[in-house]
Amino acid sequence: MTEYLIRRLVQSAVVMFLITVLTFGLIHSAPGGPTKVFLSPGLSQQAAKVQAEHLGLDRPIPEQYLKWVGGLLRGDLGYTFKNHLPVGDILWPTVGHTMVLMGAAWLLSLLIAIPWGVYNSTKEYGWSDQTASFISYIGFAMPTFWFGILLQELFALKLDWLPLSDMWSLDKEGQIGDLLLHLVLPVSVLTLGFLAGYVKYARTSMLEVLQQDYIRTARAKGIHEVRVVYRHGLRNALIPIITIIGLDLPILVGGATLTENVFNWPGMGRLFVEMALAREYSVLMAITLVTAFMVILGNLIADLLYALVDPRVQLGRKGGSTA
Amino acid sequence: MNLTIRERQPEPAAEPGWKGGANISGLTVSRRPPGMWRNGASKFIRNPYAVAGLVVLVCFIILALLARVIAPYDPAAIDLLGANLPAGAGNHWLGTDELGRDILSRLLVSGQVSLLIGFSVAFASVLIGTMVGAVSGYFGGWIDVCFMRLVDVMNAVPLLFLNILILALFGSKFSYMIIVLALTSWMGVARLVRGTFLQLREMQYVEAARAIGVSNTGIIVRHLLRNSTVPIIVTATLMVGGAILSESALSYLGLGIQAPDTSWGVMLSNAQEFMLIDPLQALYPGLCILLVVLAVNFVGDGIRDALDPRKQTHPSRKGVGIWRRNSSKFEV
C-alpha cells in the first residue's frame, strides 16, 4: 500500500511537472514571445527593455522557468499586469464560488442518478429507463449554455420567478436564502449535464452486478428483493461508479466555465475567460495549474477510495488480482 | 495460395436468379455469406434512430453545401431600418437580428462553419490519435510510456481551458481553431487504439505475419489497424458532435469565430445580449446545434450497433412474431 502510494505520488509529481512545462512553453511560444505577451503595449523601446529586465525576461529561458516554479512552490502565483495585484487574491475566492456551484450540482445529480439508475436496472427497457436514455441523449447533444439561456428567458424574464444571473442580489450579499435562489438555474443546467452520464453508469454497473452469482445466492436464500438490490447489489455496483466519478473530476473543475459565463457566476471559469480576453497571462497560467493540481489530486483520491471500498483491489501488487 | 479458395465461378449471365446467389427451388441461397460491411449496412437500415439521424445529417450537409446559393439575403448585410423584425415579417422567414441581418441566412452560413469544423476536427484528431495509439500500443516500451504520460498531462488540464489558453495566445483564426481542437481531442482515440493493439499484437496471425517477414509498418497498417477500424469509425463519428459543441462553446465565449464571420455559437452569444428584445432569437441556433449533434450521435451509435459482432441484438416482440410466421411457412 505504502509502496503503491509512493509510486502514484511520484507519477503525479511527474505529470504536474510536465504540466508546468507545457503551460510555460505555451506562453513562451506565443507569437512575439513572452516579451510581447508580458510587457505593456505601447512602451518605447528603452522603457520596454527596462521593464523586461525588471521582470527578468532577459534571462535565459530555463532560468526563468526555474524562478517561476520556485515562486509557485512558495505559493507565489505572480502578479497581474494591469493593476499589479497578486494573482492569488483574485483566484482563491473564485475557486470557492466554483466549488459551491459544482458541489451543489454534483451532489444533486448523484442523489438523483444513483437511485434512478438502480431502479432502471431492475426494470430494463421500461418507461423510466426509456426516459433516462432520452435525457442522456439530449444531455450529450445539447449545448449547455443554450439550455441556460432558455431557462433564463423562461424563468427569469418571462415568469420572473428566479434571478437572472450573478451569485447574490446587490443588497443581499452573504444571505444564504438569496444564494440558494441564485443557485437554482445554474445548478439545474449542470445537473442535467451530469445526469446524462451518471444514470447510465449507475444502470450499467448495477446490471453487471445483478448477474453475479452472489446475487443469485442471496435471492435463493429468500432475501427480500429490495434488500438484494439495495444492499447486496448497490454496494458492489458503487465501486465502478466511484472510479468514473474520479475520472470526471476535470469536468467538475473546468466544466462550469460555460454555465458560469451564462449566469455571470463569479467563479474560476468566468475568471478564466475574462482574463483570456484581457490577456492576463499570469492568471491564466495560475488557473491552469491550480485546476490541473486539483484534478490530479482527485484522481489519486479516487484510486485510494477504490481500494478502500473494494477489498479485492490490492494496490501496489504488480499483476496481482485486481478482480 | 489463396487462389483455390477465392476463385469465383464465371457468372452465368443468362439465368436471372443467379445475381449474387443460387436459386434453388424458389429460395434464394446466397453463394457466400455477406461480409461485415453488407451485414452492418442491412442492420443499420433497420435501426430507425440511425436512419433518422442519417437523414437529418444529410439534410444539414446539403443545406450547408448550398448555403451561399439558397440563403435569401447576404448574411452579413446590415440593415438598421429593418432590425429586430419578428419571424415572417418582410420576407425574412425567421426575422432579423439587432443589426437587421437575416437570421435564416445567418443560420445557413453558420451551418457551413459548424459542419466543416466538426468533420475536419474529427478527421484530424482521429488521424493523430490513431498514429499515437498505434505506435504506442505496437512498440510498447519507453515510447509507450512517453505517449501515455502525454495523454495523462492532456487529460489533467480541463480541455476547454487549454483551448481558451491557446486561442487567447495565438489569436482566433478559423484554421487555428481546427488545429487547436484537433490537438486537444485525440487522447480518447489514442487510448482506444492502443488498447486494441495491445490485445491484437499477441494474436497468432500477427506472429505468423512477422514470421514470414512482414515489416512493422505492414503489420500495423494491414493486420492490426484493419482489425480496429470499427471502434475507430464509431469514435470518429461521435467526435464530430463533440467538435461542433466545442466550436459553438468557444465562439459563444468570444474566442472562436470572430465577426463578421458567424457561427451558431456567435449567434447564441448575440442572442443572449438581446434576449430582452427578442427572446426567440436564442432558440434557432441552439436548436440547430442540438439537431445536428443528436443526428451525428444517433448515426454513430447506429454504426456501433450494426458493426459490433459482440453486440447482442434484442429482437422486438413484433420482429420475433414475423420471424415465427415466416419460418413456419418454410416448415411446411
Side-chain angles (χ1 to χ4, degrees):
Chain A
M1 180 76 192
T2 331
E3 194 199 333
Y4 173 80
L5 196 63
I6 291 170
R7 208 173 61 221
R8 273 306 306 264
L9 281 176
V10 170
Q11 211 178 8
S12 307
V14 169
V15 171
M16 199 62 219
F17 163 73
L18 289 175
I19 287 171
T20 60
V21 173
L22 176 81
T23 322
F24 192 80
L26 265 180
I27 304 271
H28 278 255
S29 58
T35 28
K36 196 181 164 207
V37 164
F38 283 116
L39 296 183
S40 345
L43 282 181
S44 71
Q45 237 170 10
Q46 191 65 32
K49 209 177 157 207
V50 172
Q51 200 177 4
E53 259 170 42
H54 175 67
L55 291 170
L57 291 176
D58 53 339
R59 316 297 305 166
I61 286 186
E63 192 186 320
Q64 288 184 42
Y65 172 76
L66 286 179
K67 207 182 138 210
W68 176 63
V69 172
L72 286 180
L73 289 177
R74 274 179 274 114
D76 173 17
L77 292 171
Y79 294 88
T80 62
F81 305 128
K82 209 168 255 171
N83 301 321
H84 229 69
L85 296 164
V87 170
D89 289 6
I90 305 176
L91 178 58
W92 295 125
T94 65
V95 174
H97 297 158
T98 297
M99 291 288 174
V100 170
L101 180 62
M102 290 311 267
W106 188 60
L107 265 180
L108 185 67
S109 55
L110 280 184
L111 284 179
I112 299 174
I114 292 182
W116 196 7
V118 170
Y119 176 79
N120 288 350
S121 74
T122 59
K123 302 240 160 69
E124 231 184 319
Y125 302 109
W127 65 269
S128 158
D129 201 17
Q130 305 274 7
T131 315
S133 82
F134 176 75
I135 286 183
S136 72
Y137 264 114
I138 298 285
F140 279 128
M142 187 165 58
T144 43
F145 54 96
W146 177 58
F147 184 51
I149 295 173
L150 291 187
L151 286 186
Q152 277 181 328
E153 287 186 346
L154 181 61
F155 291 104
L157 293 183
K158 187 128 200 196
L159 299 172
D160 202 16
W161 289 350
L162 292 162
L164 182 67
S165 59
D166 299 304
M167 197 165 164
W168 275 296
S169 309
L170 272 177
D171 49 339
K172 292 180 183 163
E173 194 153 329
Q175 291 179 17
I176 295 291
D178 194 47
L179 176 67
L180 287 178
L181 272 183
H182 280 86
L183 268 173
V184 174
L185 288 184
V187 164
S188 337
V189 172
L190 289 169
T191 305
L192 185 86
F194 284 138
L195 265 188
Y198 287 170
V199 178
K200 235 181 192 172
Y201 297 147
R203 173 181 178 273
T204 323
S205 90
M206 216 29 215
L207 275 175
E208 212 154 277
V209 166
L210 287 180
Q211 284 172 359
Q212 300 291 324
D213 286 344
Y214 53 79
I215 295 293
R216 202 191 317 146
T217 313
R219 281 193 184 131
K221 284 199 292 186
I223 297 172
H224 194 265
E225 183 63 21
V226 172
R227 203 176 151 86
V228 171
V229 170
Y230 287 92
R231 199 174 166 88
H232 296 249
L234 182 59
R235 277 193 172 191
N236 287 295
L238 279 179
I239 297 166
I241 298 178
I242 287 176
T243 341
I244 282 172
I245 289 170
L247 290 176
D248 257 7
L249 275 168
I251 307 169
L252 206 63
V253 180
T257 312
L258 288 164
T259 314
E260 281 175 7
N261 274 284
V262 173
F263 292 98
N264 205 24
W265 190 268
M268 212 162 32
R270 205 199 64 175
L271 182 74
F272 196 83
V273 174
E274 210 175 284
M275 293 291 127
L277 293 172
R279 315 204 131 224
E280 283 283 2
Y281 296 101
S282 51
V283 186
L284 296 184
M285 281 159 100
I287 296 181
T288 313
L289 288 178
V290 168
T291 44
F293 182 72
M294 290 201 282
V295 169
I296 291 173
L297 198 70
N299 284 342
L300 198 64
I301 292 174
D303 266 10
L304 296 179
L305 262 182
Y306 190 49
L308 275 181
V309 192
D310 189 351
R312 286 171 305 179
V313 178
Q314 293 190 325
L315 298 175
R317 192 182 288 178
K318 248 190 184 168
S321 68
T322 39
Chain B
M1 181 180 70
N2 278 337
L3 280 176
T4 49
I5 304 167
R6 283 212 186 152
E7 199 178 28
R8 288 189 180 188
Q9 307 285 320
E11 296 269 339
E15 262 180 274
W18 269 81
K19 232 177 187 177
N23 203 330
I24 303 165
S25 65
L27 286 173
T28 312
V29 178
S30 180
R31 203 184 318 162
R32 55 174 184 169
M36 179 182 86
W37 298 107
R38 200 198 289 178
N39 221 342
S42 73
K43 262 194 210 166
F44 187 90
I45 289 173
R46 269 179 277 137
N47 181 345
Y49 294 102
V51 173
L54 192 65
V55 169
V56 171
L57 188 62
V58 168
C59 286
F60 267 98
I61 290 175
I62 292 173
L63 284 178
L65 286 177
L66 298 176
R68 294 277 170 190
V69 185
I70 50 176
Y73 295 87
D74 178 2
I78 295 171
D79 174 18
L80 292 174
L81 291 175
N84 290 318
L85 290 177
N91 274 338
H92 294 280
W93 284 10
L94 296 178
T96 56
D97 67 2
E98 77 287 348
L99 291 175
R101 295 172 295 193
D102 182 50
I103 290 180
L104 180 64
S105 309
R106 285 170 72 73
L107 277 180
L108 285 168
V109 175
S110 300
Q112 224 173 9
V113 172
S114 294
L115 285 173
L116 186 60
I117 287 191
F119 281 101
S120 46
V121 166
F123 181 75
S125 55
V126 165
L127 206 66
I128 302 173
T130 307
M131 284 198 287
V132 169
V135 169
S136 175
Y138 183 74
F139 292 108
W142 63 269
I143 302 180
D144 185 32
V145 172
C146 285
F147 276 138
M148 286 305 110
R149 280 299 147 272
L150 186 62
V151 170
D152 282 350
V153 168
M154 299 287 285
N155 278 337
V157 183
L159 294 180
L160 189 59
F161 278 8
L162 202 58
N163 289 335
I164 295 172
L165 184 68
I166 299 175
L167 287 177
L169 280 171
F170 293 88
S172 314
K173 264 194 217 153
F174 187 75
S175 51
Y176 283 173
M177 202 119 132
I178 294 176
I179 298 172
V180 166
L181 285 176
L183 284 179
T184 51
S185 51
W186 53 269
M187 289 85 71
V189 186
R191 278 234 165 113
L192 184 97
V193 173
R194 176 179 173 267
T196 326
F197 269 43
L198 282 179
Q199 263 177 19
L200 292 179
R201 73 169 181 192
E202 307 298 336
M203 294 277 177
Q204 250 174 6
Y205 66 85
V206 177
E207 210 180 319
R210 205 173 289 138
I212 59 169
V214 181
S215 66
N216 282 334
T217 333
I219 294 179
I220 289 180
V221 174
R222 225 174 307 150
H223 297 275
L224 295 178
L225 217 48
R226 221 178 235 195
N227 277 305
S228 31
T229 19
V230 173
I232 292 178
I233 291 174
V234 172
T235 335
T237 325
L238 297 178
M239 262 175 139
V240 175
I244 291 176
L245 284 178
S246 306
E247 180 276 325
S248 69
L250 286 171
S251 298
Y252 168 74
L253 293 175
L255 285 146
I257 304 295
Q258 304 287 326
D261 290 333
T262 182
S263 87
W264 290 330
V266 175
M267 292 180 76
L268 273 175
S269 95
N270 243 354
Q272 194 189 18
E273 257 177 75
F274 294 94
M275 70 180 163
L276 274 174
I277 307 168
D278 187 1
L280 266 180
Q281 239 189 69
L283 196 65
Y284 312 123
L287 214 53
C288 286
I289 302 174
L290 177 66
L291 273 177
V292 170
V293 179
L294 208 56
V296 172
N297 288 354
F298 275 147
V299 171
D301 279 358
I303 296 177
R304 187 185 51 210
D305 291 352
L307 291 182
D308 188 357
R310 278 160 301 183
K311 170 90 182 176
Q312 293 200 340
T313 43
H314 297 275
S316 64
R317 205 164 283 179
K318 196 178 152 200
V320 172
I322 293 170
W323 177 73
R324 278 213 184 112
R325 249 174 287 135
N326 284 341
S327 54
S328 64
K329 263 185 229 160
F330 294 123
E331 274 167 24
V332 178

